[in-house]
Amino acid sequence: RRASPDDLARIAALPMLPESITNVIVQRGVREPLLKALANPGARFSRSSLTMLAAIAPGDRPICLALAAREDLPFAIQSM
């Protein structure tokens, strides 16, 4: 069974999220779970997920701001 957007939002709020989980959240592209995961300091993002988020950020201000607020954002992604 595929997780619903509500399920993904609950998962995104867990204290620790490995890259394997955030990859699924990013690939699904549902806004609320994306924003919750980006705001979660315990979430780890793969470089490919961060690159995907950086590509959509210019057209989505809340995602742009949430991505920019991450302390673990690599410089290469910051400068995209």
Side-chain angles (χ1 to χ4, degrees):
R1 143 169 143 50
R2 199 172 155 137
S4 73
D6 288 339
D7 293 334
L8 288 176
R10 281 190 291 278
I11 291 166
L14 292 174
M16 301 295 289
L17 287 178
E19 288 180 5
S20 60
I21 301 298
T22 57
N23 285 344
V24 171
I25 292 170
V26 171
Q27 288 169 0
R28 291 281 298 274
V30 179
R31 205 149 195 279
E32 182 184 356
L34 278 175
L35 290 170
K36 284 188 181 230
L38 283 168
N40 183 343
R44 299 293 162 246
F45 289 87
S46 67
R47 188 168 188 83
S48 63
S49 285
L50 290 172
T51 300
M52 288 175 65
L53 289 166
I56 63 169
D60 190 315
R61 185 165 172 78
I63 288 181
C64 183
L65 293 173
L67 185 61
R70 289 207 53 97
E71 292 183 10
D72 60 347
L73 192 63
F75 179 75
I77 302 294
Q78 291 177 21
S79 59
M80 287 184 80

